[in-house]
Short mmCIF file of all heavy atoms in Angstrom, two decimals:
data_model
loop_
_atom_site.label_atom_id
_atom_site.label_comp_id
_atom_site.label_asym_id
_atom_site.label_seq_id
_atom_site.Cartn_x
_atom_site.Cartn_y
_atom_site.Cartn_z
N MET A 1 83.55 -72.24 -46.64
CA MET A 1 84.92 -72.26 -47.15
C MET A 1 84.98 -73.15 -48.38
O MET A 1 84.34 -74.19 -48.45
CB MET A 1 85.87 -72.80 -46.08
CG MET A 1 85.96 -71.84 -44.91
SD MET A 1 87.64 -71.55 -44.35
CE MET A 1 88.27 -73.15 -43.97
N ASN A 2 85.72 -72.72 -49.34
CA ASN A 2 85.83 -73.49 -50.57
C ASN A 2 87.30 -73.64 -50.93
O ASN A 2 87.75 -73.24 -52.00
CB ASN A 2 85.07 -72.78 -51.69
CG ASN A 2 85.03 -73.63 -52.94
OD1 ASN A 2 85.17 -74.84 -52.88
ND2 ASN A 2 84.87 -72.99 -54.09
N ASP A 3 88.04 -74.21 -50.01
CA ASP A 3 89.48 -74.32 -50.24
C ASP A 3 89.91 -75.78 -50.41
O ASP A 3 91.04 -76.14 -50.18
CB ASP A 3 90.25 -73.68 -49.09
CG ASP A 3 89.91 -74.35 -47.77
OD1 ASP A 3 89.03 -75.22 -47.76
OD2 ASP A 3 90.53 -74.00 -46.76
N SER A 4 88.95 -76.62 -50.80
CA SER A 4 89.25 -78.05 -50.84
C SER A 4 89.97 -78.46 -52.12
O SER A 4 90.47 -79.56 -52.21
CB SER A 4 87.98 -78.87 -50.67
OG SER A 4 87.08 -78.54 -51.69
N THR A 5 90.01 -77.59 -53.11
CA THR A 5 90.71 -77.95 -54.33
C THR A 5 92.15 -77.48 -54.26
O THR A 5 92.41 -76.28 -54.21
CB THR A 5 90.04 -77.30 -55.56
OG1 THR A 5 88.69 -77.70 -55.59
CG2 THR A 5 90.74 -77.74 -56.84
N PRO A 6 93.09 -78.42 -54.21
CA PRO A 6 94.49 -78.03 -54.13
C PRO A 6 95.00 -77.49 -55.45
O PRO A 6 94.48 -77.83 -56.52
CB PRO A 6 95.19 -79.33 -53.75
CG PRO A 6 94.28 -80.41 -54.20
CD PRO A 6 92.89 -79.87 -54.21
N CYS A 7 96.00 -76.65 -55.36
CA CYS A 7 96.61 -76.06 -56.55
C CYS A 7 98.10 -76.37 -56.57
O CYS A 7 98.73 -76.54 -55.54
CB CYS A 7 96.42 -74.54 -56.55
SG CYS A 7 94.74 -74.04 -56.81
N CYS A 8 98.65 -76.41 -57.76
CA CYS A 8 100.07 -76.61 -57.93
C CYS A 8 100.83 -75.44 -57.31
O CYS A 8 100.51 -74.29 -57.58
CB CYS A 8 100.40 -76.72 -59.42
SG CYS A 8 102.16 -76.80 -59.75
N PRO A 9 101.83 -75.74 -56.46
CA PRO A 9 102.60 -74.66 -55.82
C PRO A 9 103.48 -73.91 -56.82
O PRO A 9 104.01 -72.84 -56.52
CB PRO A 9 103.44 -75.39 -54.77
CG PRO A 9 103.54 -76.79 -55.27
CD PRO A 9 102.27 -77.07 -56.03
N LEU A 10 103.68 -74.49 -58.00
CA LEU A 10 104.58 -73.90 -58.98
C LEU A 10 103.84 -73.05 -59.99
O LEU A 10 104.29 -71.97 -60.37
CB LEU A 10 105.37 -74.99 -59.70
CG LEU A 10 106.19 -75.92 -58.77
CD1 LEU A 10 106.80 -77.05 -59.56
CD2 LEU A 10 107.24 -75.13 -58.04
N CYS A 11 102.68 -73.53 -60.47
CA CYS A 11 101.98 -72.78 -61.52
C CYS A 11 100.52 -72.53 -61.19
O CYS A 11 99.81 -71.96 -62.00
CB CYS A 11 102.12 -73.52 -62.86
SG CYS A 11 101.08 -75.00 -62.94
N ALA A 12 100.05 -72.98 -60.02
CA ALA A 12 98.69 -72.71 -59.54
C ALA A 12 97.61 -73.40 -60.36
O ALA A 12 96.45 -73.04 -60.27
CB ALA A 12 98.43 -71.20 -59.45
N ALA A 13 97.98 -74.42 -61.14
CA ALA A 13 96.96 -75.19 -61.83
C ALA A 13 96.17 -76.01 -60.82
O ALA A 13 96.70 -76.45 -59.82
CB ALA A 13 97.62 -76.11 -62.86
N ALA A 14 94.88 -76.20 -61.08
CA ALA A 14 94.05 -77.00 -60.19
C ALA A 14 94.45 -78.47 -60.31
O ALA A 14 94.69 -78.98 -61.39
CB ALA A 14 92.58 -76.83 -60.55
N LEU A 15 94.50 -79.13 -59.15
CA LEU A 15 94.95 -80.52 -59.11
C LEU A 15 93.86 -81.42 -58.55
O LEU A 15 92.98 -80.96 -57.84
CB LEU A 15 96.20 -80.65 -58.24
CG LEU A 15 97.39 -79.80 -58.67
CD1 LEU A 15 98.45 -79.83 -57.59
CD2 LEU A 15 97.96 -80.31 -59.98
N ASP A 16 93.98 -82.69 -58.88
CA ASP A 16 93.05 -83.68 -58.37
C ASP A 16 93.56 -84.22 -57.04
O ASP A 16 94.63 -84.81 -57.00
CB ASP A 16 92.96 -84.81 -59.41
CG ASP A 16 91.92 -85.83 -59.01
OD1 ASP A 16 91.52 -85.86 -57.82
OD2 ASP A 16 91.50 -86.59 -59.89
N PRO A 17 92.85 -84.00 -55.94
CA PRO A 17 93.37 -84.39 -54.63
C PRO A 17 93.27 -85.88 -54.35
O PRO A 17 93.64 -86.33 -53.28
CB PRO A 17 92.48 -83.61 -53.67
CG PRO A 17 91.20 -83.45 -54.41
CD PRO A 17 91.56 -83.35 -55.87
N ARG A 18 92.77 -86.67 -55.28
CA ARG A 18 92.55 -88.07 -54.96
C ARG A 18 93.81 -88.92 -55.03
O ARG A 18 93.86 -90.00 -54.50
CB ARG A 18 91.49 -88.66 -55.90
CG ARG A 18 90.09 -88.30 -55.46
CD ARG A 18 89.08 -88.77 -56.47
NE ARG A 18 89.28 -88.10 -57.75
CZ ARG A 18 88.57 -88.38 -58.83
NH1 ARG A 18 87.66 -89.32 -58.79
NH2 ARG A 18 88.79 -87.73 -59.95
N HIS A 19 94.83 -88.45 -55.70
CA HIS A 19 96.01 -89.28 -55.87
C HIS A 19 97.13 -88.87 -54.93
O HIS A 19 97.28 -87.70 -54.62
CB HIS A 19 96.52 -89.16 -57.31
CG HIS A 19 95.49 -89.60 -58.31
ND1 HIS A 19 95.08 -90.89 -58.42
CD2 HIS A 19 94.78 -88.89 -59.20
CE1 HIS A 19 94.16 -90.97 -59.37
NE2 HIS A 19 93.95 -89.77 -59.85
N GLY A 20 97.91 -89.83 -54.52
CA GLY A 20 99.03 -89.54 -53.65
C GLY A 20 100.14 -88.80 -54.37
O GLY A 20 100.77 -87.91 -53.83
N GLU A 21 100.35 -89.20 -55.62
CA GLU A 21 101.34 -88.51 -56.44
C GLU A 21 100.76 -88.31 -57.82
O GLU A 21 100.03 -89.13 -58.32
CB GLU A 21 102.62 -89.33 -56.55
CG GLU A 21 103.47 -89.25 -55.31
CD GLU A 21 104.80 -89.97 -55.49
OE1 GLU A 21 105.18 -90.23 -56.64
OE2 GLU A 21 105.42 -90.28 -54.46
N GLN A 22 101.09 -87.22 -58.40
CA GLN A 22 100.61 -86.97 -59.76
C GLN A 22 101.47 -85.93 -60.44
O GLN A 22 102.24 -85.23 -59.81
CB GLN A 22 99.16 -86.49 -59.75
CG GLN A 22 98.97 -85.13 -59.12
CD GLN A 22 97.50 -84.72 -59.14
OE1 GLN A 22 96.96 -84.25 -60.12
NE2 GLN A 22 96.85 -84.94 -58.00
N ARG A 23 101.28 -85.86 -61.75
CA ARG A 23 102.01 -84.87 -62.53
C ARG A 23 101.08 -83.69 -62.75
O ARG A 23 99.91 -83.84 -63.09
CB ARG A 23 102.41 -85.49 -63.88
CG ARG A 23 103.54 -84.78 -64.56
CD ARG A 23 104.02 -85.58 -65.75
NE ARG A 23 104.92 -86.67 -65.36
CZ ARG A 23 106.23 -86.51 -65.15
NH1 ARG A 23 106.78 -85.31 -65.29
NH2 ARG A 23 106.98 -87.52 -64.81
N CYS A 24 101.60 -82.50 -62.53
CA CYS A 24 100.80 -81.30 -62.71
C CYS A 24 100.40 -81.14 -64.18
O CYS A 24 101.25 -81.23 -65.07
CB CYS A 24 101.60 -80.08 -62.25
SG CYS A 24 100.76 -78.53 -62.63
N PRO A 25 99.10 -80.91 -64.45
CA PRO A 25 98.66 -80.74 -65.83
C PRO A 25 99.16 -79.42 -66.44
O PRO A 25 99.16 -79.27 -67.66
CB PRO A 25 97.13 -80.74 -65.72
CG PRO A 25 96.84 -80.34 -64.32
CD PRO A 25 97.99 -80.85 -63.49
N GLY A 26 99.58 -78.49 -65.57
CA GLY A 26 100.04 -77.20 -66.09
C GLY A 26 101.52 -77.20 -66.42
O GLY A 26 101.92 -76.93 -67.54
N CYS A 27 102.36 -77.55 -65.43
CA CYS A 27 103.81 -77.42 -65.63
C CYS A 27 104.50 -78.78 -65.65
O CYS A 27 105.71 -78.86 -65.78
CB CYS A 27 104.41 -76.54 -64.54
SG CYS A 27 104.29 -77.25 -62.89
N HIS A 28 103.72 -79.87 -65.51
CA HIS A 28 104.23 -81.24 -65.61
C HIS A 28 105.24 -81.58 -64.52
O HIS A 28 106.03 -82.50 -64.69
CB HIS A 28 104.83 -81.50 -67.00
CG HIS A 28 103.83 -81.25 -68.08
ND1 HIS A 28 102.79 -82.10 -68.37
CD2 HIS A 28 103.71 -80.22 -68.95
CE1 HIS A 28 102.09 -81.61 -69.37
NE2 HIS A 28 102.60 -80.47 -69.74
N ALA A 29 105.22 -80.84 -63.44
CA ALA A 29 106.09 -81.19 -62.32
C ALA A 29 105.50 -82.41 -61.61
O ALA A 29 104.28 -82.59 -61.55
CB ALA A 29 106.20 -80.02 -61.35
N GLU A 30 106.37 -83.24 -61.08
CA GLU A 30 105.94 -84.40 -60.28
C GLU A 30 105.65 -83.90 -58.87
O GLU A 30 106.51 -83.30 -58.23
CB GLU A 30 107.06 -85.43 -60.26
CG GLU A 30 106.60 -86.82 -59.89
CD GLU A 30 106.12 -87.61 -61.09
OE1 GLU A 30 106.77 -87.58 -62.13
OE2 GLU A 30 105.07 -88.23 -60.97
N LEU A 31 104.42 -84.13 -58.40
CA LEU A 31 104.03 -83.59 -57.11
C LEU A 31 103.61 -84.69 -56.17
O LEU A 31 103.04 -85.70 -56.58
CB LEU A 31 102.86 -82.61 -57.28
CG LEU A 31 103.12 -81.43 -58.21
CD1 LEU A 31 101.81 -80.67 -58.44
CD2 LEU A 31 104.17 -80.52 -57.65
N ARG A 32 103.87 -84.50 -54.90
CA ARG A 32 103.43 -85.45 -53.89
C ARG A 32 102.44 -84.76 -52.96
O ARG A 32 102.67 -83.65 -52.50
CB ARG A 32 104.62 -85.96 -53.08
CG ARG A 32 104.19 -86.90 -51.94
CD ARG A 32 105.37 -87.40 -51.14
NE ARG A 32 106.21 -88.27 -51.92
CZ ARG A 32 107.52 -88.10 -52.10
NH1 ARG A 32 108.10 -87.07 -51.55
NH2 ARG A 32 108.21 -88.94 -52.80
N PHE A 33 101.35 -85.45 -52.71
CA PHE A 33 100.34 -84.94 -51.79
C PHE A 33 100.54 -85.58 -50.43
O PHE A 33 100.60 -86.79 -50.33
CB PHE A 33 98.94 -85.31 -52.28
CG PHE A 33 98.47 -84.46 -53.42
CD1 PHE A 33 99.10 -84.52 -54.63
CD2 PHE A 33 97.39 -83.62 -53.26
CE1 PHE A 33 98.68 -83.74 -55.69
CE2 PHE A 33 96.95 -82.84 -54.31
CZ PHE A 33 97.59 -82.91 -55.52
N GLU A 34 100.60 -84.76 -49.42
CA GLU A 34 100.65 -85.30 -48.08
C GLU A 34 99.48 -84.75 -47.30
O GLU A 34 99.31 -83.54 -47.18
CB GLU A 34 101.99 -84.96 -47.42
CG GLU A 34 103.08 -85.84 -48.01
CD GLU A 34 104.43 -85.54 -47.43
OE1 GLU A 34 105.07 -84.59 -47.89
OE2 GLU A 34 104.84 -86.26 -46.52
N ALA A 35 98.66 -85.67 -46.83
CA ALA A 35 97.46 -85.29 -46.10
C ALA A 35 97.79 -85.07 -44.64
O ALA A 35 98.50 -85.87 -44.03
CB ALA A 35 96.40 -86.38 -46.23
N SER A 36 97.29 -83.98 -44.08
CA SER A 36 97.49 -83.77 -42.66
C SER A 36 96.18 -83.41 -41.99
O SER A 36 95.24 -82.91 -42.61
CB SER A 36 98.56 -82.70 -42.41
OG SER A 36 98.19 -81.49 -42.99
N CYS A 37 96.15 -83.68 -40.69
CA CYS A 37 94.92 -83.54 -39.90
C CYS A 37 94.58 -82.05 -39.71
O CYS A 37 95.45 -81.26 -39.32
CB CYS A 37 95.14 -84.19 -38.54
SG CYS A 37 93.73 -84.02 -37.45
N PRO A 38 93.32 -81.67 -39.93
CA PRO A 38 92.92 -80.27 -39.73
C PRO A 38 92.83 -79.91 -38.25
O PRO A 38 92.79 -78.73 -37.91
CB PRO A 38 91.54 -80.20 -40.40
CG PRO A 38 91.01 -81.60 -40.34
CD PRO A 38 92.22 -82.51 -40.44
N ASP A 39 92.80 -80.92 -37.38
CA ASP A 39 92.66 -80.65 -35.95
C ASP A 39 94.00 -80.56 -35.23
O ASP A 39 94.23 -79.67 -34.44
CB ASP A 39 91.80 -81.73 -35.30
CG ASP A 39 90.38 -81.73 -35.86
OD1 ASP A 39 89.87 -80.63 -36.16
OD2 ASP A 39 89.80 -82.81 -36.00
N CYS A 40 94.90 -81.55 -35.52
CA CYS A 40 96.15 -81.58 -34.76
C CYS A 40 97.38 -81.44 -35.67
O CYS A 40 98.49 -81.35 -35.18
CB CYS A 40 96.24 -82.86 -33.93
SG CYS A 40 96.49 -84.34 -34.92
N GLY A 41 97.18 -81.47 -36.98
CA GLY A 41 98.30 -81.25 -37.89
C GLY A 41 99.16 -82.47 -38.15
O GLY A 41 100.14 -82.39 -38.88
N ALA A 42 98.82 -83.60 -37.57
CA ALA A 42 99.60 -84.81 -37.77
C ALA A 42 99.39 -85.34 -39.19
O ALA A 42 98.32 -85.14 -39.77
CB ALA A 42 99.20 -85.87 -36.75
N PRO A 43 100.41 -86.01 -39.73
CA PRO A 43 100.23 -86.65 -41.04
C PRO A 43 99.19 -87.75 -40.94
O PRO A 43 99.14 -88.47 -39.94
CB PRO A 43 101.61 -87.21 -41.39
CG PRO A 43 102.39 -87.20 -40.12
CD PRO A 43 101.76 -86.19 -39.21
N LEU A 44 98.38 -87.88 -41.97
CA LEU A 44 97.30 -88.87 -41.95
C LEU A 44 97.69 -90.12 -42.70
O LEU A 44 98.45 -90.07 -43.66
CB LEU A 44 96.04 -88.28 -42.58
CG LEU A 44 95.48 -87.04 -41.89
CD1 LEU A 44 94.24 -86.56 -42.64
CD2 LEU A 44 95.14 -87.33 -40.45
N GLU A 45 97.16 -91.21 -42.24
CA GLU A 45 97.33 -92.48 -42.93
C GLU A 45 96.22 -92.61 -43.96
O GLU A 45 95.05 -92.36 -43.66
CB GLU A 45 97.16 -93.61 -41.90
CG GLU A 45 98.32 -94.56 -41.82
CD GLU A 45 98.06 -95.58 -40.73
OE1 GLU A 45 97.45 -96.59 -41.04
OE2 GLU A 45 98.45 -95.30 -39.58
N ARG A 46 96.60 -93.04 -45.14
CA ARG A 46 95.59 -93.19 -46.18
C ARG A 46 95.11 -94.63 -46.20
O ARG A 46 95.89 -95.56 -46.37
CB ARG A 46 96.14 -92.80 -47.54
CG ARG A 46 95.06 -92.49 -48.53
CD ARG A 46 95.60 -91.67 -49.66
NE ARG A 46 96.76 -92.34 -50.26
CZ ARG A 46 96.95 -92.43 -51.56
NH1 ARG A 46 96.11 -91.90 -52.39
NH2 ARG A 46 98.01 -93.03 -52.04
N LEU A 47 93.82 -94.82 -46.02
CA LEU A 47 93.24 -96.15 -46.02
C LEU A 47 92.43 -96.31 -47.30
O LEU A 47 91.55 -95.51 -47.58
CB LEU A 47 92.33 -96.34 -44.81
CG LEU A 47 92.92 -95.98 -43.45
CD1 LEU A 47 91.86 -96.05 -42.39
CD2 LEU A 47 94.09 -96.88 -43.10
N GLN A 48 92.76 -97.35 -48.03
CA GLN A 48 92.06 -97.55 -49.29
C GLN A 48 91.24 -98.82 -49.20
O GLN A 48 91.77 -99.89 -48.91
CB GLN A 48 93.06 -97.64 -50.44
CG GLN A 48 92.52 -97.03 -51.69
CD GLN A 48 93.62 -96.44 -52.56
OE1 GLN A 48 94.77 -96.36 -52.15
NE2 GLN A 48 93.27 -96.04 -53.76
N ALA A 49 89.95 -98.71 -49.39
CA ALA A 49 89.08 -99.88 -49.29
C ALA A 49 87.97 -99.77 -50.31
O ALA A 49 87.27 -98.76 -50.35
CB ALA A 49 88.50 -99.99 -47.89
N CYS A 50 87.83 -100.79 -51.10
CA CYS A 50 86.72 -100.84 -52.07
C CYS A 50 86.68 -99.60 -52.95
O CYS A 50 85.60 -99.09 -53.24
CB CYS A 50 85.38 -101.02 -51.36
SG CYS A 50 85.34 -102.43 -50.27
N GLY A 51 87.81 -99.10 -53.33
CA GLY A 51 87.83 -97.95 -54.24
C GLY A 51 87.67 -96.61 -53.54
O GLY A 51 87.91 -95.57 -54.12
N ALA A 52 87.24 -96.62 -52.27
CA ALA A 52 87.09 -95.38 -51.53
C ALA A 52 88.36 -95.13 -50.72
O ALA A 52 89.02 -96.07 -50.28
CB ALA A 52 85.89 -95.43 -50.61
N VAL A 53 88.67 -93.88 -50.51
CA VAL A 53 89.85 -93.53 -49.73
C VAL A 53 89.41 -92.80 -48.48
O VAL A 53 88.64 -91.85 -48.54
CB VAL A 53 90.82 -92.65 -50.55
CG1 VAL A 53 92.01 -92.26 -49.69
CG2 VAL A 53 91.28 -93.37 -51.80
N ASP A 54 89.88 -93.27 -47.36
CA ASP A 54 89.64 -92.59 -46.10
C ASP A 54 90.97 -92.19 -45.49
O ASP A 54 92.00 -92.76 -45.80
CB ASP A 54 88.90 -93.49 -45.11
CG ASP A 54 87.44 -93.67 -45.49
OD1 ASP A 54 86.78 -92.64 -45.74
OD2 ASP A 54 86.99 -94.82 -45.56
N TYR A 55 90.91 -91.24 -44.59
CA TYR A 55 92.13 -90.78 -43.92
C TYR A 55 91.96 -90.97 -42.43
O TYR A 55 90.91 -90.69 -41.87
CB TYR A 55 92.40 -89.32 -44.26
CG TYR A 55 92.76 -89.13 -45.69
CD1 TYR A 55 91.79 -88.86 -46.64
CD2 TYR A 55 94.08 -89.24 -46.11
CE1 TYR A 55 92.11 -88.71 -47.97
CE2 TYR A 55 94.41 -89.08 -47.43
CZ TYR A 55 93.43 -88.82 -48.36
OH TYR A 55 93.75 -88.68 -49.67
N PHE A 56 93.03 -91.48 -41.82
CA PHE A 56 92.97 -91.76 -40.39
C PHE A 56 94.07 -91.00 -39.67
O PHE A 56 95.24 -91.03 -40.08
CB PHE A 56 93.14 -93.27 -40.15
CG PHE A 56 93.03 -93.65 -38.71
CD1 PHE A 56 91.79 -93.77 -38.11
CD2 PHE A 56 94.16 -93.89 -37.95
CE1 PHE A 56 91.68 -94.11 -36.76
CE2 PHE A 56 94.07 -94.23 -36.61
CZ PHE A 56 92.82 -94.35 -36.02
N CYS A 57 93.70 -90.31 -38.61
CA CYS A 57 94.68 -89.57 -37.81
C CYS A 57 95.06 -90.39 -36.59
O CYS A 57 94.20 -90.77 -35.80
CB CYS A 57 94.10 -88.23 -37.38
SG CYS A 57 95.23 -87.32 -36.30
N GLN A 58 96.37 -90.68 -36.46
CA GLN A 58 96.85 -91.40 -35.28
C GLN A 58 96.70 -90.55 -34.03
O GLN A 58 96.38 -91.05 -32.95
CB GLN A 58 98.34 -91.75 -35.46
CG GLN A 58 98.63 -92.63 -36.66
CD GLN A 58 98.39 -94.10 -36.39
OE1 GLN A 58 97.96 -94.48 -35.32
NE2 GLN A 58 98.66 -94.93 -37.40
N GLY A 59 96.93 -89.26 -34.17
CA GLY A 59 96.87 -88.36 -33.03
C GLY A 59 95.47 -88.27 -32.44
O GLY A 59 95.30 -88.28 -31.23
N CYS A 60 94.47 -88.16 -33.32
CA CYS A 60 93.09 -88.02 -32.85
C CYS A 60 92.38 -89.37 -32.75
O CYS A 60 91.26 -89.44 -32.26
CB CYS A 60 92.29 -87.13 -33.80
SG CYS A 60 92.98 -85.49 -34.02
N SER A 61 93.03 -90.43 -33.26
CA SER A 61 92.42 -91.76 -33.30
C SER A 61 91.05 -91.73 -33.97
O SER A 61 90.10 -92.33 -33.48
CB SER A 61 92.28 -92.35 -31.89
OG SER A 61 93.55 -92.58 -31.36
N SER A 62 90.95 -90.99 -35.06
CA SER A 62 89.66 -90.95 -35.73
C SER A 62 89.84 -90.78 -37.22
O SER A 62 90.89 -90.32 -37.69
CB SER A 62 88.81 -89.80 -35.17
OG SER A 62 89.45 -88.58 -35.41
N LEU A 63 88.81 -91.15 -37.95
CA LEU A 63 88.81 -90.95 -39.39
C LEU A 63 88.52 -89.49 -39.69
O LEU A 63 87.71 -88.85 -39.04
CB LEU A 63 87.73 -91.83 -40.04
CG LEU A 63 88.06 -93.33 -40.17
CD1 LEU A 63 86.82 -94.07 -40.63
CD2 LEU A 63 89.20 -93.54 -41.14
N ILE A 64 89.21 -88.99 -40.69
CA ILE A 64 89.02 -87.60 -41.09
C ILE A 64 88.34 -87.58 -42.44
O ILE A 64 88.79 -88.25 -43.37
CB ILE A 64 90.38 -86.87 -41.18
CG1 ILE A 64 91.19 -87.05 -39.90
CG2 ILE A 64 90.17 -85.40 -41.50
CD1 ILE A 64 90.59 -86.44 -38.67
N SER A 65 87.27 -86.87 -42.54
CA SER A 65 86.56 -86.75 -43.82
C SER A 65 87.48 -86.14 -44.87
O SER A 65 88.24 -85.21 -44.59
CB SER A 65 85.32 -85.87 -43.64
OG SER A 65 84.94 -85.34 -44.87
N LYS A 66 87.39 -86.69 -46.06
CA LYS A 66 88.27 -86.23 -47.14
C LYS A 66 88.12 -84.73 -47.38
O LYS A 66 89.05 -84.05 -47.77
CB LYS A 66 87.93 -87.01 -48.42
CG LYS A 66 89.06 -87.06 -49.40
CD LYS A 66 88.88 -88.17 -50.41
CE LYS A 66 87.54 -88.09 -51.14
NZ LYS A 66 87.39 -89.17 -52.11
N ARG A 67 86.94 -84.21 -47.10
CA ARG A 67 86.71 -82.78 -47.33
C ARG A 67 87.43 -81.90 -46.32
O ARG A 67 87.64 -80.72 -46.54
CB ARG A 67 85.20 -82.48 -47.28
CG ARG A 67 84.58 -82.45 -48.66
CD ARG A 67 83.09 -82.31 -48.56
NE ARG A 67 82.52 -83.48 -47.88
CZ ARG A 67 81.23 -83.60 -47.56
NH1 ARG A 67 80.41 -82.61 -47.81
NH2 ARG A 67 80.78 -84.68 -46.97
N ARG A 68 87.79 -82.49 -45.17
CA ARG A 68 88.44 -81.69 -44.13
C ARG A 68 89.96 -81.81 -44.16
O ARG A 68 90.65 -81.06 -43.50
CB ARG A 68 87.92 -82.10 -42.76
CG ARG A 68 86.44 -81.89 -42.59
CD ARG A 68 86.01 -82.21 -41.18
NE ARG A 68 86.69 -81.34 -40.23
CZ ARG A 68 87.31 -81.76 -39.12
NH1 ARG A 68 87.31 -83.02 -38.82
NH2 ARG A 68 87.89 -80.92 -38.32
N VAL A 69 90.44 -82.80 -44.91
CA VAL A 69 91.88 -83.04 -44.94
C VAL A 69 92.62 -81.85 -45.53
O VAL A 69 92.16 -81.22 -46.48
CB VAL A 69 92.17 -84.30 -45.78
CG1 VAL A 69 93.65 -84.44 -46.07
CG2 VAL A 69 91.65 -85.54 -45.07
N ILE A 70 93.75 -81.52 -44.93
CA ILE A 70 94.60 -80.46 -45.45
C ILE A 70 95.72 -81.11 -46.26
O ILE A 70 96.44 -81.97 -45.76
CB ILE A 70 95.19 -79.62 -44.31
CG1 ILE A 70 94.05 -78.90 -43.59
CG2 ILE A 70 96.20 -78.61 -44.85
CD1 ILE A 70 94.48 -78.24 -42.30
N PHE A 71 95.85 -80.69 -47.50
CA PHE A 71 96.87 -81.28 -48.35
C PHE A 71 98.08 -80.36 -48.45
O PHE A 71 97.95 -79.19 -48.81
CB PHE A 71 96.32 -81.51 -49.77
CG PHE A 71 95.36 -82.66 -49.84
CD1 PHE A 71 94.00 -82.43 -49.90
CD2 PHE A 71 95.81 -83.96 -49.83
CE1 PHE A 71 93.10 -83.48 -49.96
CE2 PHE A 71 94.93 -85.03 -49.88
CZ PHE A 71 93.56 -84.78 -49.96
N ALA A 72 99.23 -80.92 -48.12
CA ALA A 72 100.48 -80.22 -48.39
C ALA A 72 101.02 -80.79 -49.70
O ALA A 72 101.12 -82.00 -49.86
CB ALA A 72 101.47 -80.45 -47.27
N ILE A 73 101.34 -79.93 -50.62
CA ILE A 73 101.80 -80.37 -51.93
C ILE A 73 103.25 -79.96 -52.12
O ILE A 73 103.58 -78.79 -52.02
CB ILE A 73 100.94 -79.74 -53.03
CG1 ILE A 73 99.47 -80.04 -52.76
CG2 ILE A 73 101.36 -80.25 -54.40
CD1 ILE A 73 98.53 -79.22 -53.61
N THR A 74 104.08 -80.96 -52.34
CA THR A 74 105.49 -80.67 -52.52
C THR A 74 105.98 -81.28 -53.83
O THR A 74 105.59 -82.40 -54.18
CB THR A 74 106.32 -81.24 -51.37
OG1 THR A 74 105.96 -82.61 -51.17
CG2 THR A 74 106.05 -80.48 -50.08
N PRO A 75 106.83 -80.57 -54.55
CA PRO A 75 107.42 -81.15 -55.77
C PRO A 75 108.31 -82.31 -55.41
O PRO A 75 109.01 -82.29 -54.40
CB PRO A 75 108.22 -79.99 -56.36
CG PRO A 75 107.76 -78.77 -55.68
CD PRO A 75 107.27 -79.20 -54.32
N VAL A 76 108.29 -83.35 -56.25
CA VAL A 76 109.13 -84.52 -56.04
C VAL A 76 110.40 -84.36 -56.87
O VAL A 76 110.35 -84.16 -58.06
CB VAL A 76 108.40 -85.81 -56.47
CG1 VAL A 76 109.30 -87.01 -56.31
CG2 VAL A 76 107.12 -85.98 -55.67
N ASP A 77 111.52 -84.41 -56.17
CA ASP A 77 112.80 -84.35 -56.89
C ASP A 77 113.18 -85.74 -57.35
O ASP A 77 113.19 -86.66 -56.55
CB ASP A 77 113.88 -83.77 -55.99
CG ASP A 77 113.62 -82.31 -55.68
OD1 ASP A 77 113.18 -81.60 -56.59
OD2 ASP A 77 113.84 -81.89 -54.54
N GLU A 78 113.51 -85.83 -58.58
CA GLU A 78 113.85 -87.16 -59.11
C GLU A 78 115.33 -87.44 -58.98
O GLU A 78 116.12 -86.56 -59.01
CB GLU A 78 113.43 -87.27 -60.57
CG GLU A 78 111.90 -87.21 -60.70
CD GLU A 78 111.47 -87.33 -62.14
OE1 GLU A 78 111.51 -88.43 -62.68
OE2 GLU A 78 111.11 -86.31 -62.72
ZN1 ZN B 1 102.16 -76.88 -62.05
ZN1 ZN B 2 94.47 -85.26 -35.64
#
Protein backbone atom coordinates (compact mmCIF):
# COMPACT_ATOMS: atom_id res chain seq x y z
CA MET A 1 0.00 0.00 0.00
CA ASN A 2 1.26 3.43 -0.82
CA ASP A 3 -1.29 5.69 0.77
CA SER A 4 0.94 7.35 3.33
CA THR A 5 1.16 10.67 1.52
CA PRO A 6 -1.82 12.81 2.47
CA CYS A 7 -3.46 15.08 -0.06
CA CYS A 8 -5.32 18.34 0.28
CA PRO A 9 -9.08 17.63 0.46
CA LEU A 10 -9.73 20.78 -1.56
CA CYS A 11 -7.25 20.63 -4.43
CA ALA A 12 -5.52 17.23 -4.01
CA ALA A 13 -2.05 18.73 -3.72
CA ALA A 14 0.44 16.49 -1.93
CA LEU A 15 1.03 17.55 1.66
CA ASP A 16 3.76 17.05 4.20
CA PRO A 17 2.36 14.84 6.99
CA ARG A 18 4.93 15.93 9.54
CA HIS A 19 3.20 19.09 10.68
CA GLY A 20 0.09 19.41 12.78
CA GLU A 21 -1.09 22.40 10.81
CA GLN A 22 0.05 23.76 7.54
CA ARG A 23 -0.95 25.81 4.56
CA CYS A 24 -1.69 23.90 1.38
CA PRO A 25 0.93 24.64 -1.29
CA GLY A 26 -1.76 24.35 -3.96
CA CYS A 27 -4.75 26.35 -2.77
CA HIS A 28 -3.23 27.99 0.36
CA ALA A 29 -6.00 26.74 2.59
CA GLU A 30 -5.13 26.37 6.27
CA LEU A 31 -5.31 22.68 7.08
CA ARG A 32 -5.22 20.71 10.29
CA PHE A 33 -3.91 17.18 10.47
CA GLU A 34 -5.46 14.85 12.96
CA ALA A 35 -3.77 11.52 13.45
CA SER A 36 -5.92 8.54 14.24
CA CYS A 37 -5.14 4.95 15.12
CA PRO A 38 -5.25 2.43 12.23
CA ASP A 39 -6.37 -0.28 14.66
CA CYS A 40 -9.10 1.30 16.79
CA GLY A 41 -9.68 4.70 15.16
CA ALA A 42 -8.99 6.70 18.31
CA PRO A 43 -7.28 10.07 18.00
CA LEU A 44 -3.56 9.79 18.64
CA GLU A 45 -1.42 11.83 20.95
CA ARG A 46 1.57 13.36 19.28
CA LEU A 47 4.78 12.94 21.24
CA GLN A 48 7.68 15.07 20.22
CA ALA A 49 11.13 14.15 21.46
CA CYS A 50 14.54 15.07 20.15
CA GLY A 51 13.12 16.22 16.83
CA ALA A 52 11.37 12.91 16.20
CA VAL A 53 7.60 12.60 16.34
CA ASP A 54 5.86 9.53 17.64
CA TYR A 55 2.18 8.80 17.98
CA PHE A 56 0.59 7.15 20.95
CA CYS A 57 -2.83 5.53 21.06
CA GLN A 58 -4.63 5.70 24.40
CA GLY A 59 -7.03 2.99 23.30
CA CYS A 60 -4.33 0.48 22.37
CA SER A 61 -1.81 1.77 24.93
CA SER A 62 0.90 1.55 22.33
CA LEU A 63 3.03 3.65 20.05
CA ILE A 64 1.90 3.76 16.46
CA SER A 65 4.48 3.92 13.72
CA LYS A 66 4.23 7.12 11.73
CA ARG A 67 3.83 5.06 8.58
CA ARG A 68 0.68 3.41 9.91
CA VAL A 69 -1.01 6.54 11.21
CA ILE A 70 -4.18 7.59 9.42
CA PHE A 71 -4.38 11.31 8.85
CA ALA A 72 -7.68 13.11 8.72
CA ILE A 73 -7.22 16.47 7.07
CA THR A 74 -9.71 19.21 7.70
CA PRO A 75 -9.67 22.85 6.61
CA VAL A 76 -9.24 25.30 9.46
CA ASP A 77 -11.83 28.04 9.57
CA GLU A 78 -10.38 31.28 10.73
ZN1 LIG B 1 -5.17 22.62 -1.46
ZN1 LIG C 1 -5.65 2.28 18.85
